[in-house]
Amino acid sequence: MLNFTFQNPTHIHFGEGQISVLAKEVPLKARVLLVYGGGSIKANGVYQQVIDALSEHTYFEFSGIEPNPTYDTLMKAQDIIKRENIDYILAVGGGSVVDGAKFIAAAALYEGSSEGNDPWDILAKQQAVTKALPIGAVLTLPATGSESNGNSVVTRDGNKLPFSSPLVRPLFAVLDPNVTLSLSDRQISNGVVDAFIHTIEQYLTYSVNGKVQDRFSEGLLQTLIEEGPKALDPATKENLEVRANIMWSATMALNGLIGAGVPQDWSTHMIGHELTGAFGIDHARTLSIVLPAVMKVRKEQKREKLLQYASRVWQITEGDEDTRIDQAIRLTEEFFQQMQVPTRLSDVNLGSKDIDLLIERLEQHGMTALGEKSDITLAISREILTKAL
Ligand code: NZQ
Ligand code: ZN
């Protein structure tokens, strides 16, 4: 196992009716900015629950954070933050709103560097976040793990870039599986697949004998394989236990626990971000296209873990090594198809003519040494994208 330091200080309030804890979790003296997206929280009653809980608080609102939040939209929040002396951000929504809140919180207190004082430098030049407003979150879409991690992804002019800081990790997160009942099948699918691939990125690398991390990961993968399809099946989709298991899996998949002390890949995500930035494809749908190709192209480097994945997650024990690996990759693709997400570039009407642009963008963003051993060069990323055609 590799050395690690682990801490996850986000308080989780899980279950039905937990939005009411906002009354106590958000400090009464805070001047709160309630940030949300395009209005789903008004249609499903979450907004009403939030404002009921904040009835004693002083709060202002900033809405319109779009999926794959943009720098331009997020910077608009800075006016109200200054004007109203906001000192606390409450994010209510999916990963985009929580990620957006993180950038808003960091940008509000960004002091700049010798490079200038544009908060975009936090992403484009990986300038350190040294201060940020405190954040609380009410999660409405289980997928990203953003509610209890320090990561955020922001887009500007088609450039979709990540940043990370412990200072933007939410202090608390409310996870009520009831609020996920209003999600469309597409968003449910996206969430299950995103959480599945977060787990894979921290598991399917090379073995360091991290038995606890491996078995946690295998448990999450099996839970998502079992419960994901139930959340799309009319007979079971309203079942709150199904929703609860998916919601907790998604949080656990990217809260730092399973990735502590083990190598991590993230090449599927970095290539996927270019697909979203260039062509606007939903985050999870880029991942379901890229991952099977990564598994195929990196079969030798990932052989030992692919065999473990085949046997422990898919119970494949018959046949020679290559047959078992190929079968595990095929079952992974079938799971994605069952979750109604694409597994090929052609499924989203992209072809070989589009690969050059993606490679150019990867280069421009410094994504030239990806993977658990930083050995996925641009040439290998091209091979992966070609395999995904
Ligand atoms: O904007 P509203 O009206 O709220 O609608 C949203 C949005 O249109 C809707 N929605 C959310 N909760 C709902 C709901 N509709 C009905 N009922 C509900 N309960 O769903 C749509 C998509 O929401 P979004 O927040 O974009 O989805 P998701 O949670 O999948 O977040 C995706 C973003 O997170 C980033 C992605 O790159 C992408 O930008 N990621 C963040 C990560 C992190 N912070 O650690 C890691 C991930 O790998 C990912 O990169
Ligand atoms: Zn993701």
Side-chain angles (χ1 to χ4, degrees), residues 131-198:
K131 286 187 210 159
L133 296 175
I135 301 169
V138 177
L139 186 73
T140 63
L141 197 173
T144 61
S146 188
E147 65 279 7
S148 75
N149 68 38
N151 309 331
S152 166
V153 193
V154 178
T155 300
R156 187 180 192 182
D157 301 330
N159 299 298
K160 185 172 184 193
L161 300 178
F163 81 97
S164 190
S165 166
L167 296 173
V168 296
R169 188 195 293 267
L171 300 177
F172 72 87
V174 176
L175 277 71
D176 178 348
N178 275 284
V179 313
T180 72
L181 291 174
S182 58
L183 286 165
S184 64
D185 284 358
R186 184 183 183 107
Q187 297 305 343
I188 289 167
S189 298
N190 285 354
V192 168
V193 168
D194 194 21
F196 185 91
I197 296 176
H198 293 158

Side-chain angles (χ1 to χ4, degrees), residues 37-106:
S40 71
I41 64 165
K42 292 209 167 153
N44 63 12
V46 170
Y47 175 83
Q48 192 59 45
Q49 290 185 61
V50 169
I51 59 165
D52 286 349
L54 293 181
S55 61
E56 307 284 313
H57 287 72
T58 304
Y59 66 89
F60 303 85
E61 296 187 20
F62 179 78
S63 63
I65 298 179
E66 60 278 76
N68 308 306
T70 65
Y71 168 87
D72 292 343
T73 298
L74 301 174
M75 286 305 285
K76 289 186 187 140
Q78 299 304 322
D79 289 344
I80 186 166
I81 288 177
K82 289 202 183 76
R83 194 170 63 240
E84 303 296 349
N85 290 319
I86 298 295
D87 57 14
Y88 199 101
I89 310 285
L90 179 63
V92 183
S96 294
V97 169
V98 182
D99 279 14
K102 292 174 180 179
F103 181 72
I104 290 172

Side-chain angles (χ1 to χ4, degrees), residues 40-309:
S40 71
I41 64 165
K42 292 209 167 153
N44 63 12
V46 170
Y47 175 83
Q48 192 59 45
Q49 290 185 61
V50 169
I51 59 165
D52 286 349
L54 293 181
S55 61
E56 307 284 313
H57 287 72
T58 304
Y59 66 89
F60 303 85
E61 296 187 20
F62 179 78
S63 63
I65 298 179
E66 60 278 76
N68 308 306
T70 65
Y71 168 87
D72 292 343
T73 298
L74 301 174
M75 286 305 285
K76 289 186 187 140
Q78 299 304 322
D79 289 344
I80 186 166
I81 288 177
K82 289 202 183 76
R83 194 170 63 240
E84 303 296 349
N85 290 319
I86 298 295
D87 57 14
Y88 199 101
I89 310 285
L90 179 63
V92 183
S96 294
V97 169
V98 182
D99 279 14
K102 292 174 180 179
F103 181 72
I104 290 172
L109 302 185
Y110 186 61
E111 287 171 338
S113 69
S114 55
E115 305 273 352
N117 61 1
D118 182 349
W120 180 243
D121 290 347
I122 296 170
L123 297 117
K125 298 180 182 162
Q126 292 291 302
Q127 292 297 318
V129 173
T130 54
K131 286 187 210 159
L133 296 175
I135 301 169
V138 177
L139 186 73
T140 63
L141 197 173
T144 61
S146 188
E147 65 279 7
S148 75
N149 68 38
N151 309 331
S152 166
V153 193
V154 178
T155 300
R156 187 180 192 182
D157 301 330
N159 299 298
K160 185 172 184 193
L161 300 178
F163 81 97
S164 190
S165 166
L167 296 173
V168 296
R169 188 195 293 267
L171 300 177
F172 72 87
V174 176
L175 277 71
D176 178 348
N178 275 284
V179 313
T180 72
L181 291 174
S182 58
L183 286 165
S184 64
D185 284 358
R186 184 183 183 107
Q187 297 305 343
I188 289 167
S189 298
N190 285 354
V192 168
V193 168
D194 194 21
F196 185 91
I197 296 176
H198 293 158
T199 310
I200 289 276
E201 298 267 35
Q202 299 162 91
Y203 168 78
L204 202 64
T205 56
Y206 57 90
S207 179
V208 293
N209 203 19
K211 292 194 168 190
V212 174
Q213 295 89 327
D214 281 2
R215 289 197 161 98
F216 266 128
S217 294
E218 288 151 1
L220 292 173
L221 295 171
Q222 285 178 307
T223 303
L224 291 163
I225 291 165
E226 277 170 26
E227 302 300 292
K230 291 186 197 162
L232 296 179
D233 181 341
T236 42
K237 65 184 303 174
E238 306 267 301
N239 184 323
L240 280 176
E241 287 179 19
V242 169
R243 300 301 179 121
N245 278 305
I246 291 174
M247 200 166 205
W248 190 224
S249 298
T251 300
M252 291 297 286
L254 200 49
N255 68 357
L257 181 72
I258 63 168
V262 294
Q264 302 191 15
D265 181 347
W266 298 108
S267 58
T268 296
H269 268 71
M270 294 309 125
I271 298 171
H273 286 171
E274 302 304 346
L275 276 162
T276 302
F279 303 110
I281 300 163
D282 295 358
H283 172 65
R285 291 165 173 252
T286 68
L287 307 177
S288 57
I289 291 169
V290 177
L291 178 70
V294 168
M295 287 170 149
K296 290 170 196 164
V297 170
R298 304 304 280 172
K299 184 164 148 181
E300 288 319 313
Q301 294 78 5
K302 294 180 183 292
R303 176 170 287 271
E304 197 189 341
K305 273 305 196 57
L306 276 165
L307 287 165
Q308 184 178 322
Y309 170 68

